Amino acid sequence: MIRKAGPGDIEHIARLGIESLMVNDPYPELRISQQKVRDMAQELVTNAANFAWVAENEKGEVVGAVCGLVHDIMFYERKQLSVVMFYCREPGAGGFLIRRLVKWFRSRPILKLCVFTLESGADPRIGDLLVKLGLKRELPNFVGVK
């Protein structure tokens, strides 16, 4: 089951975010700030402009989340939705979460751009679903870490 996240989900989202960073982190030389992850989870859930949905298993445990931050776009009018967290411990719910995110994005006239960045080792089915839902593969990123 997927549902909109509420204040009781902030800690679950933070734990999932930290787990995701530890499992998929392309920058092992950077230190994860657990407090910053928790602060972001709180912002995503409590600010109505943002998007935060969770997936629960049959036991009611939160096993996945997708969260997007709404912010200004540099140089352009309207706003951007940046997906800052997508992670599911159990297969199956991720596609439903992504579909809900894209539907929400399309329903918001103020939003002009949705950016969903995948790690280099992400399951290719995620990108395929995003393309199927109308997002385009764009702009390869080049990152320097020191």
Side-chain angles (χ1 to χ4, degrees):
M1 176 180 111
I2 67 167
R3 61 174 175 76
K4 185 174 180 176
D9 296 310
I10 292 170
E11 192 57 34
H12 298 296
I13 290 170
R15 269 191 247 120
L16 285 168
I18 292 166
E19 182 179 331
S20 173
L21 286 169
M22 294 175 80
V23 169
N24 300 310
D25 192 358
Y27 311 112
E29 53 278 314
L30 299 179
R31 187 181 321 176
I32 297 167
S33 168
Q34 294 189 12
Q35 186 59 53
K36 286 184 177 183
V37 174
R38 284 184 178 83
D39 291 346
M40 178 57 74
Q42 181 169 344
E43 167 65 21
L44 292 164
V45 171
T46 61
N47 184 333
N50 298 321
F51 182 91
W53 276 58
V54 296
E56 293 180 335
N57 64 14
E58 310 79 39
K59 300 175 190 173
E61 301 165 328
V62 175
V63 295
V66 63
C67 301
L69 181 69
V70 174
H71 56 92
D72 288 330
I73 308 173
M74 190 177 355
F75 308 127
Y76 297 98
E77 295 178 1
R78 298 203 222 162
K79 303 273 184 187
Q80 173 176 322
L81 173 65
S82 293
V83 176
V84 295
M85 204 260 283
F86 171 69
Y87 186 70
C88 286
R89 285 187 190 134
E90 297 181 12
F96 292 109
L97 288 170
I98 290 171
R99 283 180 177 85
R100 184 67 188 110
L101 170 87
V102 173
K103 181 178 179 181
W104 184 86
F105 163 69
R106 299 225 184 277
S107 74
R108 300 294 189 274
I110 192 72
L111 295 175
K112 185 66 176 175
L113 186 66
C114 175
V115 177
F116 196 125
T117 304
L118 296 176
E119 296 87 7
S120 58
D123 185 330
R125 294 175 297 177
I126 300 168
D128 293 344
L129 177 57
L130 291 166
V131 169
K132 181 179 176 183
L133 295 173
L135 278 69
K136 298 186 309 182
R137 294 181 198 271
E138 287 283 340
L139 301 173
N141 293 309
F142 297 86
V143 179
V145 179
K146 59 180 197 160

